[in-house]
Amino acid sequence: MFCLLFSTSLYHLPCLYYFKKADRQMTQQNPVGKLFDKVASRYDFLNHFLSLGIDVLWRKRLAKKVADLKPSSLLDLATGSGDLLLAILKNSPTILRYYGVDISQEMLALAKEKGLDNLLIADASSLPFVESSFDVVTIAFGLRNFQDRMLALREIFRVLRPGGTLYVLEFSKPTAILRPFYLFYLQKLIPQLASFVGAPKDAYIYLAQSILDFPQPKELVGIFQNAGFDCCGFVPMTFGIVTIHWGKKPETVLNKSALKT
């Protein structure tokens, strides 16, 4: 079995095994993990097909923002099939240490096939890393799927070093003039198209609803701030269909009890 020998950035665990029995139990018990296990075989194709290939440009833009920070350590959450992590590593030669984390075993298997290492099945709300382990944490199209979003954000805050940055690439609702057409495409066409190419229709019905339920960018700024982040902001892309969000961990961190609940 593939053994990940982690440095002191992990808790006292000397070795974690890729796809060990406990990992399988975790992904089987998590409904989101089970859902992404079901769509894994069609995931990359549908991402590119349903977005007309624009998803590649979205990830490249986020990868450029990460590269501008010149980080030496990176944690990518909701790694999925690894496309964002690959784009970041290609553009950031300064990164000496990285980990990719996801709840889905089948999705991480795809990432491993693409040549990525340091892949770990874990829940974002309980990360196996000590405090202040990473310069940057990234999430692409995953935050809306976290079962306890605030707990996950506080875990991210914990593992970021002071001055470190969280970047989130996520779907959002487009400008008003496009919204009716977008909602029709999202709610009616995408599930049908996914089903036509052999993907489970229910997974893409869930996708549509998760996008509609996700907080709008200005609201997400407040959520980031409540988790302890400052210097928060966002930039919409492609008429607001997706948005890059960010927040920084302050250089001087308040006691946890001072953070809002």
Side-chain angles (χ1 to χ4, degrees):
M1 300 178 76
F2 179 73
C3 179
L4 296 179
L5 293 173
F6 288 89
S7 67
T8 55
S9 64
L10 276 173
Y11 290 127
H12 52 76
L13 301 176
C15 181
L16 290 180
Y17 290 95
Y18 188 75
F19 303 161
K20 62 184 186 294
K21 183 177 180 181
D23 293 335
R24 295 190 187 98
Q25 291 173 346
M26 180 185 295
T27 192
Q28 289 166 3
Q29 292 168 2
N30 186 296
V32 174
K34 290 193 291 186
L35 183 146
F36 279 94
D37 279 351
K38 287 168 59 178
V39 304
S41 63
R42 298 286 185 176
Y43 183 80
D44 282 342
F45 168 75
L46 282 168
N47 266 358
H48 305 324
F49 174 65
L50 296 175
S51 72
L52 304 178
I54 302 175
D55 63 305
V56 176
L57 300 179
W58 297 334
R59 291 184 181 88
K60 283 184 177 179
R61 185 163 179 185
L62 177 51
K64 175 65 165 57
K65 286 186 173 293
V66 172
D68 289 343
L69 298 177
K70 296 180 171 55
S72 62
S73 56
L74 170 78
L75 174 63
D76 183 51
L77 298 177
T79 293
S81 63
D83 282 354
L84 176 62
L85 185 51
L86 286 166
I88 291 172
L89 294 176
K90 181 179 179 181
N91 285 275
S92 296
T94 59
I95 293 176
L96 304 176
R97 179 172 57 92
Y98 75 87
Y99 297 100
V101 172
D102 202 284
I103 197 66
S104 167
Q105 174 180 331
E106 297 300 325
M107 294 298 289
L108 284 184
L110 294 176
K112 187 172 185 291
E113 288 174 3
K114 295 176 182 179
L116 288 167
D117 294 320
N118 300 348
L119 303 173
L120 174 65
I121 295 178
D123 193 316
S125 62
S126 182
L127 295 170
F129 304 100
V130 298
E131 293 183 8
S132 304
S133 293
F134 300 99
D135 296 327
V136 175
V137 175
T138 54
I139 311 170
F141 308 115
L143 183 60
R144 72 182 189 282
N145 298 316
F146 291 172
Q147 292 183 304
D148 191 328
R149 201 171 292 149
M150 180 56 72
L151 183 57
L153 286 172
R154 287 180 172 164
E155 268 290 88
I156 293 166
F157 186 88
R158 182 183 66 79
V159 302
L160 272 172
R161 66 163 178 79
T165 303
L166 165 66
Y167 277 117
V168 174
L169 174 63
E170 191 54 89
F171 289 111
S172 48
K173 301 181 185 73
T175 52
I177 195 168
L178 287 178
R179 194 166 297 179
F181 306 99
Y182 174 75
L183 293 178
F184 177 77
Y185 180 68
L186 182 68
Q187 295 177 294
K188 302 298 183 182
L189 289 185
I190 283 182
Q192 295 295 338
L193 290 170
S195 178
F196 179 75
V197 298
K201 184 177 179 180
D202 60 328
Y204 285 85
I205 292 173
Y206 162 82
L207 166 70
Q209 193 59 49
S210 70
I211 293 171
L212 296 176
D213 291 342
F214 193 68
Q216 285 291 83
K218 289 183 179 179
E219 184 182 354
L220 196 60
V221 165
I223 294 171
F224 278 21
Q225 291 171 337
N226 286 346
F229 294 93
D230 67 7
C231 300
C232 301
F234 61 89
V235 57
M237 298 185 291
T238 316
F239 306 104
I241 291 174
V242 299
T243 300
I244 295 177
H245 311 262
W246 61 83
K248 297 185 77 69
K249 182 174 180 176
E251 292 285 355
T252 303
V253 180
L254 296 174
N255 187 280
K256 289 182 181 179
S257 62
L259 298 180
K260 297 179 183 179
T261 56

PDB file of all heavy atoms in Angstrom, residues 43 76-83 101-102 104 106-112 119:
ATOM      1  N   TYR A  43     -16.395  12.601 -13.997  1.00  0.00           N
ATOM      2  CA  TYR A  43     -16.266  13.930 -13.402  1.00  0.00           C
ATOM      3  C   TYR A  43     -15.493  14.901 -14.298  1.00  0.00           C
ATOM      4  O   TYR A  43     -15.980  15.996 -14.608  1.00  0.00           O
ATOM      5  CB  TYR A  43     -15.592  13.812 -12.034  1.00  0.00           C
ATOM      6  CG  TYR A  43     -15.467  15.113 -11.302  1.00  0.00           C
ATOM      7  CD1 TYR A  43     -16.553  15.649 -10.612  1.00  0.00           C
ATOM      8  CD2 TYR A  43     -14.265  15.824 -11.297  1.00  0.00           C
ATOM      9  CE1 TYR A  43     -16.442  16.857  -9.941  1.00  0.00           C
ATOM     10  CE2 TYR A  43     -14.151  17.038 -10.625  1.00  0.00           C
ATOM     11  CZ  TYR A  43     -15.239  17.547  -9.945  1.00  0.00           C
ATOM     12  OH  TYR A  43     -15.128  18.737  -9.286  1.00  0.00           O
ATOM     13  N   ASP A  76      -4.423  21.740  -0.328  1.00  0.00           N
ATOM     14  CA  ASP A  76      -5.564  21.839  -1.232  1.00  0.00           C
ATOM     15  C   ASP A  76      -6.671  20.937  -0.704  1.00  0.00           C
ATOM     16  O   ASP A  76      -6.497  19.716  -0.629  1.00  0.00           O
ATOM     17  CB  ASP A  76      -5.171  21.425  -2.652  1.00  0.00           C
ATOM     18  CG  ASP A  76      -6.314  21.581  -3.632  1.00  0.00           C
ATOM     19  OD1 ASP A  76      -6.924  22.663  -3.670  1.00  0.00           O
ATOM     20  OD2 ASP A  76      -6.615  20.603  -4.355  1.00  0.00           O
ATOM     21  N   LEU A  77      -7.808  21.524  -0.334  1.00  0.00           N
ATOM     22  CA  LEU A  77      -8.953  20.775   0.179  1.00  0.00           C
ATOM     23  C   LEU A  77      -9.974  20.557  -0.924  1.00  0.00           C
ATOM     24  O   LEU A  77     -10.054  21.339  -1.871  1.00  0.00           O
ATOM     25  CB  LEU A  77      -9.595  21.523   1.349  1.00  0.00           C
ATOM     26  CG  LEU A  77      -8.720  21.732   2.583  1.00  0.00           C
ATOM     27  CD1 LEU A  77      -9.465  22.557   3.627  1.00  0.00           C
ATOM     28  CD2 LEU A  77      -8.280  20.395   3.169  1.00  0.00           C
ATOM     29  N   ALA A  78     -10.773  19.488  -0.783  1.00  0.00           N
ATOM     30  CA  ALA A  78     -11.697  19.095  -1.843  1.00  0.00           C
ATOM     31  C   ALA A  78     -10.917  18.935  -3.146  1.00  0.00           C
ATOM     32  O   ALA A  78     -11.317  19.401  -4.212  1.00  0.00           O
ATOM     33  CB  ALA A  78     -12.841  20.092  -1.987  1.00  0.00           C
ATOM     34  N   THR A  79      -9.785  18.260  -3.051  1.00  0.00           N
ATOM     35  CA  THR A  79      -8.864  18.104  -4.179  1.00  0.00           C
ATOM     36  C   THR A  79      -9.519  17.453  -5.380  1.00  0.00           C
ATOM     37  O   THR A  79      -9.191  17.768  -6.524  1.00  0.00           O
ATOM     38  CB  THR A  79      -7.633  17.281  -3.737  1.00  0.00           C
ATOM     39  OG1 THR A  79      -6.894  18.049  -2.789  1.00  0.00           O
ATOM     40  CG2 THR A  79      -6.749  16.922  -4.902  1.00  0.00           C
ATOM     41  N   GLY A  80     -10.452  16.535  -5.130  1.00  0.00           N
ATOM     42  CA  GLY A  80     -11.125  15.871  -6.233  1.00  0.00           C
ATOM     43  C   GLY A  80     -10.153  15.138  -7.130  1.00  0.00           C
ATOM     44  O   GLY A  80      -9.260  14.428  -6.666  1.00  0.00           O
ATOM     45  N   SER A  81     -10.273  15.354  -8.433  1.00  0.00           N
ATOM     46  CA  SER A  81      -9.402  14.670  -9.392  1.00  0.00           C
ATOM     47  C   SER A  81      -8.064  15.373  -9.569  1.00  0.00           C
ATOM     48  O   SER A  81      -7.244  14.948 -10.383  1.00  0.00           O
ATOM     49  CB  SER A  81     -10.107  14.529 -10.741  1.00  0.00           C
ATOM     50  OG  SER A  81     -10.367  15.812 -11.294  1.00  0.00           O
ATOM     51  N   GLY A  82      -7.843  16.471  -8.831  1.00  0.00           N
ATOM     52  CA  GLY A  82      -6.519  17.071  -8.768  1.00  0.00           C
ATOM     53  C   GLY A  82      -6.215  18.184  -9.755  1.00  0.00           C
ATOM     54  O   GLY A  82      -5.082  18.667  -9.800  1.00  0.00           O
ATOM     55  N   ASP A  83      -7.196  18.643 -10.529  1.00  0.00           N
ATOM     56  CA  ASP A  83      -6.887  19.626 -11.573  1.00  0.00           C
ATOM     57  C   ASP A  83      -6.369  20.945 -11.017  1.00  0.00           C
ATOM     58  O   ASP A  83      -5.426  21.533 -11.571  1.00  0.00           O
ATOM     59  CB  ASP A  83      -8.127  19.883 -12.443  1.00  0.00           C
ATOM     60  CG  ASP A  83      -8.353  18.770 -13.455  1.00  0.00           C
ATOM     61  OD1 ASP A  83      -7.495  17.874 -13.548  1.00  0.00           O
ATOM     62  OD2 ASP A  83      -9.386  18.793 -14.143  1.00  0.00           O
ATOM     63  N   VAL A 101      -6.333  16.903  -0.002  1.00  0.00           N
ATOM     64  CA  VAL A 101      -7.278  16.244   0.905  1.00  0.00           C
ATOM     65  C   VAL A 101      -8.662  16.221   0.275  1.00  0.00           C
ATOM     66  O   VAL A 101      -9.112  17.217  -0.311  1.00  0.00           O
ATOM     67  CB  VAL A 101      -7.330  16.981   2.259  1.00  0.00           C
ATOM     68  CG1 VAL A 101      -8.459  16.433   3.138  1.00  0.00           C
ATOM     69  CG2 VAL A 101      -5.999  16.855   2.994  1.00  0.00           C
ATOM     70  N   ASP A 102      -9.317  15.087   0.387  1.00  0.00           N
ATOM     71  CA  ASP A 102     -10.686  14.958  -0.112  1.00  0.00           C
ATOM     72  C   ASP A 102     -11.390  13.886   0.701  1.00  0.00           C
ATOM     73  O   ASP A 102     -10.747  13.052   1.352  1.00  0.00           O
ATOM     74  CB  ASP A 102     -10.693  14.591  -1.600  1.00  0.00           C
ATOM     75  CG  ASP A 102     -12.001  14.954  -2.287  1.00  0.00           C
ATOM     76  OD1 ASP A 102     -13.001  14.232  -2.092  1.00  0.00           O
ATOM     77  OD2 ASP A 102     -12.039  15.969  -3.009  1.00  0.00           O
ATOM     78  N   SER A 104     -13.580  11.814  -0.837  1.00  0.00           N
ATOM     79  CA  SER A 104     -13.946  10.761  -1.785  1.00  0.00           C
ATOM     80  C   SER A 104     -12.730   9.938  -2.200  1.00  0.00           C
ATOM     81  O   SER A 104     -11.783  10.463  -2.796  1.00  0.00           O
ATOM     82  CB  SER A 104     -14.601  11.363  -3.040  1.00  0.00           C
ATOM     83  OG  SER A 104     -14.694  10.405  -4.070  1.00  0.00           O
ATOM     84  N   GLU A 106     -12.646   7.593  -4.552  1.00  0.00           N
ATOM     85  CA  GLU A 106     -12.573   7.438  -6.003  1.00  0.00           C
ATOM     86  C   GLU A 106     -12.026   8.691  -6.686  1.00  0.00           C
ATOM     87  O   GLU A 106     -11.292   8.605  -7.679  1.00  0.00           O
ATOM     88  CB  GLU A 106     -13.957   7.093  -6.563  1.00  0.00           C
ATOM     89  CG  GLU A 106     -14.517   5.773  -6.056  1.00  0.00           C
ATOM     90  CD  GLU A 106     -13.630   4.593  -6.417  1.00  0.00           C
ATOM     91  OE1 GLU A 106     -13.020   4.620  -7.507  1.00  0.00           O
ATOM     92  OE2 GLU A 106     -13.524   3.660  -5.610  1.00  0.00           O
ATOM     93  N   MET A 107     -12.362   9.859  -6.165  1.00  0.00           N
ATOM     94  CA  MET A 107     -11.832  11.087  -6.749  1.00  0.00           C
ATOM     95  C   MET A 107     -10.320  11.180  -6.542  1.00  0.00           C
ATOM     96  O   MET A 107      -9.577  11.543  -7.464  1.00  0.00           O
ATOM     97  CB  MET A 107     -12.528  12.300  -6.122  1.00  0.00           C
ATOM     98  CG  MET A 107     -14.007  12.397  -6.454  1.00  0.00           C
ATOM     99  SD  MET A 107     -14.356  12.602  -8.213  1.00  0.00           S
ATOM    100  CE  MET A 107     -13.804  14.273  -8.453  1.00  0.00           C
ATOM    101  N   LEU A 108      -9.856  10.838  -5.355  1.00  0.00           N
ATOM    102  CA  LEU A 108      -8.409  10.884  -5.106  1.00  0.00           C
ATOM    103  C   LEU A 108      -7.667   9.836  -5.929  1.00  0.00           C
ATOM    104  O   LEU A 108      -6.492  10.035  -6.267  1.00  0.00           O
ATOM    105  CB  LEU A 108      -8.120  10.701  -3.620  1.00  0.00           C
ATOM    106  CG  LEU A 108      -8.392  11.921  -2.733  1.00  0.00           C
ATOM    107  CD1 LEU A 108      -7.968  11.639  -1.293  1.00  0.00           C
ATOM    108  CD2 LEU A 108      -7.701  13.172  -3.249  1.00  0.00           C
ATOM    109  N   ALA A 109      -8.334   8.730  -6.256  1.00  0.00           N
ATOM    110  CA  ALA A 109      -7.708   7.739  -7.131  1.00  0.00           C
ATOM    111  C   ALA A 109      -7.412   8.355  -8.497  1.00  0.00           C
ATOM    112  O   ALA A 109      -6.370   8.081  -9.106  1.00  0.00           O
ATOM    113  CB  ALA A 109      -8.613   6.523  -7.274  1.00  0.00           C
ATOM    114  N   LEU A 110      -8.323   9.214  -8.979  1.00  0.00           N
ATOM    115  CA  LEU A 110      -8.082   9.908 -10.248  1.00  0.00           C
ATOM    116  C   LEU A 110      -6.899  10.859 -10.128  1.00  0.00           C
ATOM    117  O   LEU A 110      -6.074  10.961 -11.040  1.00  0.00           O
ATOM    118  CB  LEU A 110      -9.332  10.699 -10.659  1.00  0.00           C
ATOM    119  CG  LEU A 110     -10.584   9.889 -11.002  1.00  0.00           C
ATOM    120  CD1 LEU A 110     -11.748  10.836 -11.286  1.00  0.00           C
ATOM    121  CD2 LEU A 110     -10.348   8.979 -12.190  1.00  0.00           C
ATOM    122  N   ALA A 111      -6.816  11.566  -9.000  1.00  0.00           N
ATOM    123  CA  ALA A 111      -5.696  12.490  -8.784  1.00  0.00           C
ATOM    124  C   ALA A 111      -4.374  11.739  -8.748  1.00  0.00           C
ATOM    125  O   ALA A 111      -3.365  12.204  -9.292  1.00  0.00           O
ATOM    126  CB  ALA A 111      -5.910  13.267  -7.485  1.00  0.00           C
ATOM    127  N   LYS A 112      -4.374  10.585  -8.131  1.00  0.00           N
ATOM    128  CA  LYS A 112      -3.157   9.779  -8.058  1.00  0.00           C
ATOM    129  C   LYS A 112      -2.726   9.316  -9.450  1.00  0.00           C
ATOM    130  O   LYS A 112      -1.539   9.293  -9.782  1.00  0.00           O
ATOM    131  CB  LYS A 112      -3.369   8.579  -7.145  1.00  0.00           C
ATOM    132  CG  LYS A 112      -2.114   7.757  -6.869  1.00  0.00           C
ATOM    133  CD  LYS A 112      -2.391   6.717  -5.794  1.00  0.00           C
ATOM    134  CE  LYS A 112      -1.092   5.978  -5.421  1.00  0.00           C
ATOM    135  NZ  LYS A 112      -0.614   5.108  -6.498  1.00  0.00           N
ATOM    136  N   LEU A 119      -1.655  12.497  -0.997  1.00  0.00           N
ATOM    137  CA  LEU A 119      -3.115  12.562  -1.035  1.00  0.00           C
ATOM    138  C   LEU A 119      -3.683  11.863   0.189  1.00  0.00           C
ATOM    139  O   LEU A 119      -3.260  10.765   0.545  1.00  0.00           O
ATOM    140  CB  LEU A 119      -3.645  11.909  -2.312  1.00  0.00           C
ATOM    141  CG  LEU A 119      -3.098  12.499  -3.616  1.00  0.00           C
ATOM    142  CD1 LEU A 119      -3.549  11.667  -4.808  1.00  0.00           C
ATOM    143  CD2 LEU A 119      -3.519  13.956  -3.779  1.00  0.00           C
TER     144      LEU A 119
END
